[in-house]
Short mmCIF file of all heavy atoms in Angstrom, two decimals:
data_model
loop_
_atom_site.label_atom_id
_atom_site.label_comp_id
_atom_site.label_asym_id
_atom_site.label_seq_id
_atom_site.Cartn_x
_atom_site.Cartn_y
_atom_site.Cartn_z
N GLY A 235 -13.99 -8.78 9.87
CA GLY A 235 -15.42 -8.85 10.11
C GLY A 235 -16.21 -7.74 9.43
O GLY A 235 -17.43 -7.85 9.26
N GLU A 236 -15.53 -6.65 9.07
CA GLU A 236 -16.22 -5.56 8.38
C GLU A 236 -16.56 -6.00 6.96
O GLU A 236 -15.82 -6.75 6.33
CB GLU A 236 -15.34 -4.31 8.30
CG GLU A 236 -15.21 -3.56 9.59
CD GLU A 236 -14.44 -2.25 9.39
OE1 GLU A 236 -14.90 -1.40 8.60
OE2 GLU A 236 -13.38 -2.12 10.01
N ILE A 237 -17.68 -5.49 6.47
CA ILE A 237 -18.06 -5.74 5.08
C ILE A 237 -17.63 -4.53 4.27
O ILE A 237 -17.97 -3.40 4.61
CB ILE A 237 -19.57 -5.98 4.95
CG1 ILE A 237 -19.97 -7.23 5.75
CG2 ILE A 237 -19.98 -6.11 3.49
CD1 ILE A 237 -21.46 -7.45 5.84
N VAL A 238 -16.86 -4.77 3.22
CA VAL A 238 -16.41 -3.68 2.36
C VAL A 238 -17.05 -3.83 0.99
O VAL A 238 -17.36 -4.93 0.55
CB VAL A 238 -14.86 -3.62 2.23
CG1 VAL A 238 -14.23 -3.31 3.56
CG2 VAL A 238 -14.30 -4.91 1.67
N GLU A 239 -17.23 -2.70 0.35
CA GLU A 239 -17.84 -2.66 -0.97
C GLU A 239 -16.88 -1.91 -1.89
O GLU A 239 -16.50 -0.78 -1.61
CB GLU A 239 -19.16 -1.91 -0.86
CG GLU A 239 -20.01 -1.96 -2.08
CD GLU A 239 -21.37 -1.32 -1.83
OE1 GLU A 239 -22.21 -1.94 -1.16
OE2 GLU A 239 -21.55 -0.18 -2.29
N VAL A 240 -16.47 -2.56 -2.95
CA VAL A 240 -15.52 -1.97 -3.90
C VAL A 240 -16.21 -1.85 -5.25
O VAL A 240 -16.78 -2.82 -5.74
CB VAL A 240 -14.24 -2.82 -4.03
CG1 VAL A 240 -13.28 -2.21 -5.02
CG2 VAL A 240 -13.58 -2.99 -2.67
N LYS A 241 -16.18 -0.64 -5.82
CA LYS A 241 -16.77 -0.42 -7.13
C LYS A 241 -15.66 -0.44 -8.17
O LYS A 241 -14.64 0.24 -8.02
CB LYS A 241 -17.49 0.92 -7.18
CG LYS A 241 -18.69 0.98 -6.28
CD LYS A 241 -19.37 2.32 -6.35
CE LYS A 241 -20.52 2.39 -5.36
NZ LYS A 241 -21.18 3.70 -5.39
N LEU A 242 -15.86 -1.22 -9.22
CA LEU A 242 -14.89 -1.34 -10.31
C LEU A 242 -15.58 -1.08 -11.63
O LEU A 242 -16.78 -1.27 -11.76
CB LEU A 242 -14.30 -2.76 -10.35
CG LEU A 242 -13.63 -3.31 -9.11
CD1 LEU A 242 -13.32 -4.77 -9.31
CD2 LEU A 242 -12.38 -2.53 -8.81
N GLU A 243 -14.79 -0.66 -12.61
CA GLU A 243 -15.28 -0.62 -13.97
C GLU A 243 -14.57 -1.73 -14.72
O GLU A 243 -13.35 -1.75 -14.79
CB GLU A 243 -14.99 0.72 -14.62
CG GLU A 243 -15.57 0.82 -16.01
CD GLU A 243 -15.32 2.16 -16.65
OE1 GLU A 243 -15.60 3.19 -15.99
OE2 GLU A 243 -14.83 2.17 -17.79
N ARG A 244 -15.32 -2.67 -15.22
CA ARG A 244 -14.75 -3.82 -15.91
C ARG A 244 -15.43 -3.95 -17.27
O ARG A 244 -16.64 -4.08 -17.35
CB ARG A 244 -14.94 -5.08 -15.08
CG ARG A 244 -14.29 -6.30 -15.71
CD ARG A 244 -14.38 -7.50 -14.81
NE ARG A 244 -13.48 -7.32 -13.67
CZ ARG A 244 -13.59 -8.01 -12.54
NH1 ARG A 244 -14.54 -8.88 -12.38
NH2 ARG A 244 -12.73 -7.80 -11.57
N ASP A 245 -14.62 -3.91 -18.32
CA ASP A 245 -15.14 -4.00 -19.69
C ASP A 245 -16.24 -2.98 -19.95
O ASP A 245 -17.27 -3.28 -20.56
CB ASP A 245 -15.64 -5.42 -19.99
CG ASP A 245 -14.52 -6.44 -19.98
OD1 ASP A 245 -13.36 -6.06 -20.30
OD2 ASP A 245 -14.77 -7.60 -19.65
N GLY A 246 -16.04 -1.76 -19.43
CA GLY A 246 -17.00 -0.68 -19.66
C GLY A 246 -18.22 -0.69 -18.77
O GLY A 246 -19.09 0.17 -18.90
N LYS A 247 -18.31 -1.64 -17.85
CA LYS A 247 -19.47 -1.72 -16.95
C LYS A 247 -19.00 -1.56 -15.51
O LYS A 247 -17.98 -2.09 -15.12
CB LYS A 247 -20.17 -3.07 -17.10
CG LYS A 247 -20.74 -3.32 -18.46
CD LYS A 247 -21.34 -4.71 -18.54
CE LYS A 247 -21.79 -5.02 -19.95
NZ LYS A 247 -22.25 -6.40 -20.08
N GLU A 248 -19.78 -0.82 -14.73
CA GLU A 248 -19.46 -0.67 -13.31
C GLU A 248 -20.01 -1.89 -12.58
O GLU A 248 -21.17 -2.28 -12.77
CB GLU A 248 -20.08 0.59 -12.73
CG GLU A 248 -19.69 0.81 -11.28
CD GLU A 248 -20.23 2.11 -10.71
OE1 GLU A 248 -19.85 3.17 -11.22
OE2 GLU A 248 -21.04 2.03 -9.77
N ILE A 249 -19.17 -2.50 -11.75
CA ILE A 249 -19.62 -3.62 -10.92
C ILE A 249 -19.26 -3.32 -9.48
O ILE A 249 -18.37 -2.53 -9.19
CB ILE A 249 -19.00 -4.96 -11.36
CG1 ILE A 249 -17.48 -4.94 -11.22
CG2 ILE A 249 -19.39 -5.31 -12.77
CD1 ILE A 249 -16.84 -6.30 -11.36
N VAL A 250 -19.98 -3.94 -8.57
CA VAL A 250 -19.74 -3.78 -7.13
C VAL A 250 -19.39 -5.14 -6.56
O VAL A 250 -20.11 -6.11 -6.77
CB VAL A 250 -20.97 -3.19 -6.42
CG1 VAL A 250 -20.72 -3.08 -4.92
CG2 VAL A 250 -21.33 -1.84 -7.01
N ILE A 251 -18.28 -5.19 -5.84
CA ILE A 251 -17.85 -6.42 -5.18
C ILE A 251 -17.95 -6.18 -3.68
O ILE A 251 -17.37 -5.24 -3.16
CB ILE A 251 -16.41 -6.79 -5.57
CG1 ILE A 251 -16.32 -7.04 -7.07
CG2 ILE A 251 -15.93 -8.00 -4.78
CD1 ILE A 251 -14.93 -7.24 -7.59
N LYS A 252 -18.70 -7.03 -2.99
CA LYS A 252 -18.83 -6.95 -1.53
C LYS A 252 -18.10 -8.14 -0.92
O LYS A 252 -18.19 -9.25 -1.43
CB LYS A 252 -20.29 -6.98 -1.11
CG LYS A 252 -21.07 -5.78 -1.54
CD LYS A 252 -22.51 -5.87 -1.08
CE LYS A 252 -23.30 -4.69 -1.57
NZ LYS A 252 -24.71 -4.75 -1.16
N ASN A 253 -17.39 -7.89 0.17
CA ASN A 253 -16.65 -8.96 0.81
C ASN A 253 -16.51 -8.68 2.29
O ASN A 253 -16.42 -7.53 2.70
CB ASN A 253 -15.27 -9.10 0.17
CG ASN A 253 -14.64 -10.44 0.43
OD1 ASN A 253 -15.25 -11.33 1.00
ND2 ASN A 253 -13.41 -10.60 0.00
N THR A 254 -16.50 -9.73 3.09
CA THR A 254 -16.25 -9.60 4.53
C THR A 254 -14.77 -9.81 4.77
O THR A 254 -14.18 -10.78 4.30
CB THR A 254 -17.06 -10.66 5.31
OG1 THR A 254 -18.45 -10.49 5.01
CG2 THR A 254 -16.85 -10.50 6.81
N LEU A 255 -14.17 -8.86 5.47
CA LEU A 255 -12.73 -8.93 5.71
C LEU A 255 -12.38 -10.04 6.69
O LEU A 255 -13.12 -10.33 7.63
CB LEU A 255 -12.23 -7.59 6.27
CG LEU A 255 -12.44 -6.39 5.36
CD1 LEU A 255 -11.97 -5.12 6.07
CD2 LEU A 255 -11.74 -6.56 4.04
N THR A 256 -11.25 -10.66 6.44
CA THR A 256 -10.71 -11.69 7.33
C THR A 256 -9.40 -11.19 7.90
O THR A 256 -8.78 -10.28 7.33
CB THR A 256 -10.48 -13.01 6.57
OG1 THR A 256 -9.59 -12.77 5.49
CG2 THR A 256 -11.78 -13.57 6.03
N PRO A 257 -8.93 -11.76 9.01
CA PRO A 257 -7.66 -11.30 9.58
C PRO A 257 -6.49 -11.57 8.62
O PRO A 257 -6.46 -12.58 7.94
CB PRO A 257 -7.50 -12.16 10.83
CG PRO A 257 -8.83 -12.74 11.11
CD PRO A 257 -9.56 -12.80 9.80
N ALA A 258 -5.57 -10.62 8.60
CA ALA A 258 -4.34 -10.82 7.83
C ALA A 258 -3.42 -11.70 8.68
O ALA A 258 -3.43 -11.64 9.91
CB ALA A 258 -3.68 -9.48 7.56
N PHE A 259 -2.65 -12.54 8.01
CA PHE A 259 -1.73 -13.39 8.76
C PHE A 259 -0.54 -13.73 7.91
O PHE A 259 -0.56 -13.60 6.70
CB PHE A 259 -2.42 -14.67 9.24
CG PHE A 259 -2.80 -15.58 8.11
CD1 PHE A 259 -1.92 -16.58 7.68
CD2 PHE A 259 -4.01 -15.46 7.45
CE1 PHE A 259 -2.26 -17.42 6.63
CE2 PHE A 259 -4.35 -16.30 6.41
CZ PHE A 259 -3.48 -17.27 6.00
N THR A 260 0.49 -14.17 8.56
CA THR A 260 1.67 -14.66 7.87
C THR A 260 2.21 -15.85 8.65
O THR A 260 2.08 -15.90 9.88
CB THR A 260 2.74 -13.57 7.70
OG1 THR A 260 3.83 -14.12 6.99
CG2 THR A 260 3.23 -13.05 9.04
N LYS A 261 2.77 -16.79 7.96
CA LYS A 261 3.35 -17.95 8.63
C LYS A 261 4.83 -17.76 8.89
O LYS A 261 5.38 -18.36 9.78
CB LYS A 261 3.13 -19.20 7.78
CG LYS A 261 1.67 -19.59 7.66
CD LYS A 261 1.53 -20.84 6.82
CE LYS A 261 0.06 -21.21 6.68
NZ LYS A 261 -0.14 -22.42 5.89
N GLY A 262 5.48 -16.95 8.08
CA GLY A 262 6.92 -16.78 8.20
C GLY A 262 7.29 -15.54 8.97
O GLY A 262 6.50 -14.63 9.15
N LYS A 263 8.53 -15.52 9.42
CA LYS A 263 9.04 -14.36 10.15
C LYS A 263 10.17 -13.69 9.39
O LYS A 263 10.67 -12.66 9.79
CB LYS A 263 9.50 -14.76 11.54
CG LYS A 263 8.36 -15.26 12.40
CD LYS A 263 8.80 -15.55 13.80
CE LYS A 263 7.60 -16.03 14.59
NZ LYS A 263 7.82 -16.07 15.99
N ALA A 264 10.58 -14.29 8.27
CA ALA A 264 11.69 -13.74 7.50
C ALA A 264 11.63 -14.26 6.07
O ALA A 264 11.00 -15.27 5.79
CB ALA A 264 13.02 -14.13 8.14
N ILE A 265 12.29 -13.53 5.21
CA ILE A 265 12.46 -13.97 3.83
C ILE A 265 13.94 -14.21 3.62
O ILE A 265 14.77 -13.37 4.01
CB ILE A 265 11.96 -12.90 2.85
CG1 ILE A 265 10.47 -12.70 3.01
CG2 ILE A 265 12.31 -13.27 1.41
CD1 ILE A 265 9.90 -11.59 2.16
N LYS A 266 14.28 -15.35 3.06
CA LYS A 266 15.69 -15.63 2.82
C LYS A 266 15.84 -16.38 1.51
O LYS A 266 14.92 -17.02 1.02
CB LYS A 266 16.30 -16.42 3.96
CG LYS A 266 15.71 -17.81 4.14
CD LYS A 266 16.38 -18.54 5.28
CE LYS A 266 15.81 -19.95 5.38
NZ LYS A 266 16.49 -20.72 6.40
N ARG A 267 17.00 -16.28 0.94
CA ARG A 267 17.30 -17.00 -0.30
C ARG A 267 17.52 -18.48 0.03
O ARG A 267 18.04 -18.82 1.07
CB ARG A 267 18.56 -16.45 -0.94
CG ARG A 267 18.42 -15.04 -1.43
CD ARG A 267 19.73 -14.58 -2.07
NE ARG A 267 19.72 -13.17 -2.28
CZ ARG A 267 19.31 -12.59 -3.42
NH1 ARG A 267 18.88 -13.32 -4.41
NH2 ARG A 267 19.34 -11.28 -3.54
#
């Protein structure tokens, strides 16, 4: 729910990306071959 602002330099120009965070989740409980 927090809004984060990330500043990047892309192709010599500074840009700002704003995004609202969403909950992290996973569907699995293990990794297996």
Side-chain angles (χ1 to χ4, degrees):
E236 286 186 59
I237 297 172
V238 295
E239 189 174 285
V240 179
K241 294 180 184 179
L242 305 171
E243 183 178 311
R244 183 175 289 161
D245 295 330
K247 297 177 186 174
E248 184 177 298
I249 63 168
V250 178
I251 298 172
K252 293 180 183 179
N253 200 5
T254 302
L255 300 177
T256 58
F259 67 92
T260 182
K261 293 181 182 180
K263 295 185 180 192
I265 295 175
K266 64 179 183 176
R267 294 181 192 268

